[in-house]
């Protein structure tokens, strides 16, 4: 089982995770984590990334990336028929050890809620949970995830 590390960039709205084989380690570069926690983004929009690797056919690793975005940070717009909608983009990129892009996706996401106000916060009403996956050969990889709110 390989080790990898988390590198939180200082860039706006981005989290980077280094992947090796089936594991991603947190805390400091090259260190084995003291606690098993999701990675937290830096920047104005806070989101969380967690990973899990599974043995795939022919020595490959099926890597899942779990994404959680509390909705209270998004700009909601009222809908004509009632309720509120927020739209945002999620970009994720997997790069090899030499910096070559192995997979890139830019996804437009929407979340809706019926109400914003007392008794129900935007985060409770509209937290976004998503899953991305990639199959990788043994080696070192860097995963970068960026979130951008469409209406802010």
């Amino acid at each position: 089982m390989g080790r990898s590390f988390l590198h939180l960039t200082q860039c706006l709205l981005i989290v980077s995770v280094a992947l090796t084989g089936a594991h991603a380690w947190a805390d400091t570069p090259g260190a084995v984590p003291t606690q098993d926690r999701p990675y937290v983004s830096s920047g104005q929009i806070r989101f969380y990334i967690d990973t899990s690797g599974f043995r795939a056919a022919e020595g490959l690793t099926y890597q899942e990336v779990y994404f959680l975005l509390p909705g209270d940070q998004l700009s909601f717009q009222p809908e004509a028929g009632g309720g509120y909608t927020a739209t945002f983009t999620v970009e994720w990129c997997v790069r090899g050890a030499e910096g070559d892009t192995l997979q890139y996706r830019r996804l437009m996401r929407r979340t809706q809620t019926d109400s914003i106000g007392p008794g129900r916060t935007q985060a409770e009403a509209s937290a976004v949970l998503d899953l991305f996956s990639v199959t990788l050969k043994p080696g070192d990889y860097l995963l970068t995830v960026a979130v951008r709110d469409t209406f802010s």
Side-chain angles (χ1 to χ4, degrees):
M1 296 187 172
R3 288 187 316 173
S4 46
F5 60 91
L6 168 69
H7 172 72
L8 292 178
T9 68
Q10 295 304 312
C11 298
L12 186 63
L13 316 178
I14 294 178
V15 64
S16 295
V17 178
L19 305 171
T20 301
H23 295 281
W25 300 105
D27 295 335
T28 58
V32 175
T34 56
Q35 296 181 17
D36 186 18
R37 295 183 181 176
Y39 307 114
V40 181
S41 65
S42 60
Q44 295 175 344
I45 296 179
R46 183 185 73 259
F47 60 94
Y48 304 91
I49 297 289
D50 206 352
T51 63
S52 187
F54 302 92
R55 186 179 307 205
E58 302 175 18
L60 301 174
T61 297
Y62 173 76
Q63 188 75 48
E64 290 186 340
V65 179
Y66 309 103
F67 170 85
L68 175 67
L69 171 64
D72 61 343
Q73 305 163 95
L74 299 173
S75 301
F76 281 82
Q77 304 297 312
E79 291 287 319
Y84 301 86
T85 300
T87 305
F88 60 98
T89 58
V90 179
E91 294 180 35
W92 68 286
C93 182
V94 177
R95 289 191 175 88
E98 287 78 40
D100 51 320
T101 299
L102 302 175
Q103 194 168 97
Y104 172 82
R105 291 187 188 167
R106 184 174 191 267
L107 307 166
M108 184 69 78
R109 296 288 194 234
R110 288 176 45 150
T111 185
Q112 297 176 305
T113 183
D114 295 332
S115 64
I116 299 173
R120 191 168 191 203
T121 67
Q122 287 176 308
E124 294 169 336
S126 61
V128 177
L129 180 61
D130 211 340
L131 166 78
F132 311 105
S133 64
V134 61
T135 301
L136 301 168
K137 295 178 182 177
D140 295 329
Y141 300 91
L142 179 67
L143 167 68
T144 302
V145 179
V147 175
R148 290 178 181 81
D149 186 355
T150 304
F151 298 120
S152 65

